[in-house]
Amino acid sequence: MADSSFPLLTITAAVPAVGAIATAAVPAAKRELAKWLALGVSLATLVLAAVIAVRYDPDGDRFQLTESRAWIADFGVRYELGVDGIAVVLVALTALLIPFVILAGWHDADPVTASESGSAAGKSSRWRPTQGFFALILAVEAMVIVSFLATDVFLFYIFFEAMLIPMYFLIGGFGDKAHEHGEEEAARQRSYAAVKFLLYNLAGGLIMLAAVIGLFVVTNDQLGSGTFSLQEILQARANGDLDISTNTERLLFLGFFFAFAVKAPLWPLHTWLPNAMGESTPPVAVLITAVVDKVGTFAMLRFCLGLFPEASDWATPVVLVLALVSILYGALLAIGQRDIKRLIAYASISHFGFIVLGIFVMTSQGQTGATLYMVNHGISTAVLMLVAGFLISRRGSRLIADYGGVQKVAPVLAGTFLIGGMATLSLPGLAPFVSEFLVLVGTFSRYPAIGIIATVGIVLAAIYVLVLYQRTMTGPVTEKVAKLPDLRVREVLVVAPLIALLIGLGVYPKPLTEIVNPAVEHTMSDVQKSDPEPDVKPVEATHD
């Protein structure tokens, strides 16, 4: 498709980037202005994402609204953007969640008093600047959006790595105020979580960089000039001009896949996530698992399968085993957690196992389900984590044992928590059920034994969700829970639209599937796979 005359994709990514700079520049005395500015910018980005979704034609070219400009010509690097159906829905998810993240974290970066922090108020204000908190959230949004839009591998890599920097400061500098340890110990744990997050993802990124350079060398040798353009590489493979040797393709695939598996996160590269989500504020925890981590699974679809089809097929048995381990391991550890936020983190590891499973079973149902799972998991986890955050901020503890009887004193909070939990266990009628069902259908059609094992994860999900609800919301009212207030207006405004989406997409997912299906067909074509034929014996006619 010809380049778009109006740079809609660039503007969509630029708005939160410019908004981040503007928010950071707001004078220190005008914290409320910084909050409203960040919220306004996030809403403007949401409008632009909606325009992208409206202008995208599922029956049109694979990549649409494309933009392509020479950037570093000597090294074949271009500023190249474009959207397919998978990118459209993930950009929409990102733009949708950020306003709710900002609203939920409205007071998370307010300067703390000396009594709250155990240190001088002035010192606390310096490490918890309101403007910086919201500017960093907008910066992450801009970088994630570019990652979804980039069709130049090198451009994608830059923003794939760059988003680590603002996330590092959000985790380490703006940790959860509710902590059973003292402020000094809490600060050490935040620092540890932030460094662990950064080191894991930097290690994956460095390995990927070697593979990116290797891809350039291969294209330079075979095409006469090196390129990072995904569209050019796909076209060259289709024309037979690019034929990567088996061993080389497998090495390049491993370099890309390792980085994406860390970001996803996939067992055994997952261990940074519980620390990062546990020590972050709830809105930042949502940003991690519902937005940033989706870049990893998205990139598996776009780059691993698109660039290295033979190697993807070769690695499928091992990846499916890793996905199964993630599903069961994450769910089992969630059952044993004492900390509410770490329970949700391990549940997310289990859910990402389902997403990776759907991608690598190489069926249209599986990959459509995996894409929908990315969206639906983002919404359901946002509801559960944000409501958990509202609860934790009232009681001042993340420990499950410190609660009980909440539904008697805060019924709206308990009800929204229950809906978030039911969505997490994929209750029929809620959006995650559709995606999980499609993933399992796609798995059963090609790998029935793996599908049977994966269904155990559904049973385990019911256990950890229902046990969490029972221990926190039911039973006698504990002394410190008795005076907890119910959800305030701002908090209801955060969760109500997300719950409406969970119900709406659970009843009628067609708007998403119509956008996603054509992109999945292109991916299936890349890996030269088709859905298995049903193993059904013809019925013989009977005669009287």
Side-chain angles (χ1 to χ4, degrees):
M1 183 176 179
D3 290 355
S4 175
S5 57
F6 180 74
L8 176 60
L9 303 186
T10 294
I11 293 173
T12 303
V15 166
V18 173
I21 297 171
T23 302
V26 172
K30 298 183 177 181
R31 293 190 300 272
E32 291 301 311
L33 175 60
K35 297 176 183 179
W36 285 106
L37 176 60
L39 180 60
V41 169
S42 67
L43 291 173
T45 307
L46 177 58
V47 171
L48 290 168
V51 173
I52 291 174
V54 170
R55 291 191 59 185
Y56 178 78
D57 178 10
D59 298 323
D61 293 343
R62 179 173 186 174
F63 294 104
Q64 300 178 30
L65 305 175
T66 56
E67 303 172 30
S68 183
R69 302 287 184 274
W71 184 18
I72 311 175
D74 291 342
F75 295 97
V77 180
R78 299 185 64 83
Y79 175 79
E80 194 168 272
L81 307 179
V83 289
D84 60 3
I86 298 170
V88 167
V89 297
L90 291 177
V91 169
L93 171 69
T94 302
L96 171 72
L97 290 180
I98 296 301
F100 297 112
V101 167
I102 290 173
L103 271 177
W106 201 253
H107 299 298
D108 284 359
D110 289 347
V112 294
T113 64
S115 60
E116 289 174 318
S117 66
S119 59
K123 181 179 179 180
S124 297
S125 298
R126 285 196 296 272
W127 65 260
R128 201 183 282 275
T130 304
Q131 291 86 338
F133 179 74
F134 292 102
L136 289 169
I137 290 174
L138 291 177
V140 172
E141 179 181 24
M143 293 174 183
V144 169
I145 288 176
V146 174
S147 297
F148 290 141
L149 300 178
T151 57
D152 182 277
V153 176
F154 195 82
L155 178 66
F156 167 84
Y157 173 79
I158 289 174
F159 286 92
F160 179 81
E161 290 294 279
M163 69 179 72
L164 302 179
I165 304 304
M167 285 306 309
Y168 169 81
F169 288 109
L170 283 170
I171 296 168
F174 299 91
D176 199 344
K177 295 179 184 178
H179 211 294
E180 61 270 22
H181 304 290
E183 176 61 30
E184 185 176 345
E185 176 62 21
R188 279 199 293 267
Q189 292 192 25
R190 287 195 300 270
S191 178
Y192 171 77
V195 171
K196 189 174 184 179
F197 162 82
L198 187 64
L199 291 180
Y200 266 65
N201 283 275
L202 278 178
L206 288 173
I207 293 174
M208 181 182 170
L209 178 60
V212 169
I213 295 171
L215 181 65
F216 176 83
V217 172
V218 170
T219 57
N220 187 62
D221 287 344
Q222 297 195 26
L223 302 180
S225 61
T227 181
F228 293 105
S229 171
L230 177 64
Q231 297 183 68
E232 290 183 9
I233 294 172
L234 291 176
Q235 188 61 47
R237 292 196 73 130
N239 296 339
D241 297 328
L242 181 64
D243 182 18
I244 306 175
S245 68
T246 299
N247 290 337
T248 300
E249 181 174 331
R250 292 176 180 180
L251 287 173
L252 295 178
F253 167 86
L254 290 174
F256 277 73
F257 180 80
F258 184 85
F260 302 152
V262 172
K263 184 84 77 180
L266 185 68
W267 184 91
L269 306 171
H270 66 285
T271 60
W272 62 268
L273 183 67
N275 296 100
M277 289 184 65
E279 301 307 323
S280 300
T281 62
V284 173
V286 171
L287 193 63
I288 294 170
T289 190
V291 177
V292 171
D293 288 353
K294 298 301 187 298
V295 178
T297 46
F298 162 80
M300 290 180 188
L301 272 169
R302 172 167 283 188
F303 297 108
C304 284
L305 271 60
L307 293 173
F308 315 114
E310 187 280 332
S312 297
D313 187 51
W314 163 75
T316 289
V318 174
V319 176
L320 293 182
V321 170
L322 296 179
L324 275 180
V325 174
S326 290
I327 291 169
L328 302 179
Y329 173 88
L332 287 170
L333 263 66
I335 292 172
Q337 292 304 304
R338 299 168 53 246
D339 183 309
I340 296 175
K341 290 169 67 179
R342 289 179 70 90
L343 184 152
I344 298 172
Y346 279 108
S348 289
I349 292 170
S350 180
H351 293 149
F352 275 102
F354 275 108
I355 295 172
V356 175
L357 180 68
I359 292 171
F360 278 88
V361 293
M362 305 292 184
T363 61
S364 59
Q365 300 98 329
Q367 292 184 0
T368 297
T371 304
L372 295 185
Y373 215 129
M374 294 184 220
V375 176
N376 296 333
H377 169 263
I379 300 171
S380 63
T381 299
V383 172
L384 188 61
M385 178 60 83
L386 293 179
V387 176
F390 298 150
L391 176 65
I392 291 167
S393 67
R394 286 159 165 74
R395 173 64 176 82
S397 173
R398 296 169 5 200
L399 297 179
I400 297 172
D402 289 340
Y403 295 89
V406 174
Q407 65 182 11
K408 297 177 182 177
V409 297
V412 177
L413 188 154
T416 53
F417 191 80
L418 178 62
I419 295 172
M422 293 299 101
T424 298
L425 62 82
S426 300
L427 183 74
L430 298 176
F433 170 77
V434 178
S435 46
E436 194 161 278
F437 177 78
L438 285 173
V439 167
L440 290 174
V441 167
T443 304
F444 272 107
S445 66
R446 197 181 292 276
Y447 303 103
I450 291 177
I452 292 171
I453 299 171
T455 55
V456 176
I458 301 175
V459 178
L460 297 176
I463 294 174
Y464 63 69
V465 168
L466 294 176
V467 168
L468 172 64
Y469 186 84
Q470 180 188 40
R471 292 179 178 176
T472 56
M473 302 295 164
T474 65
V477 179
T478 59
E479 180 181 352
K480 293 188 177 182
V481 168
K483 296 183 180 180
L484 293 185
D486 213 335
L487 292 185
R488 303 177 181 90
V489 174
R490 172 179 61 86
E491 295 165 337
V492 172
L493 289 176
V494 169
V495 298
L498 296 176
I499 289 174
L501 271 174
L502 286 175
I503 297 172
L505 293 175
V507 175
Y508 190 68
K510 186 178 179 181
L512 289 184
T513 57
E514 285 185 336
I515 295 175
V516 169
N517 283 338
V520 168
E521 290 175 6
H522 284 296
T523 303
M524 291 286 289
S525 176
D526 290 339
V527 294
Q528 298 180 343
K529 293 285 187 179
S530 58
D531 292 331
E533 293 292 332
D535 186 15
V536 178
K537 295 180 180 179
V539 178
E540 296 181 1
T542 60
H543 301 282
D544 294 335

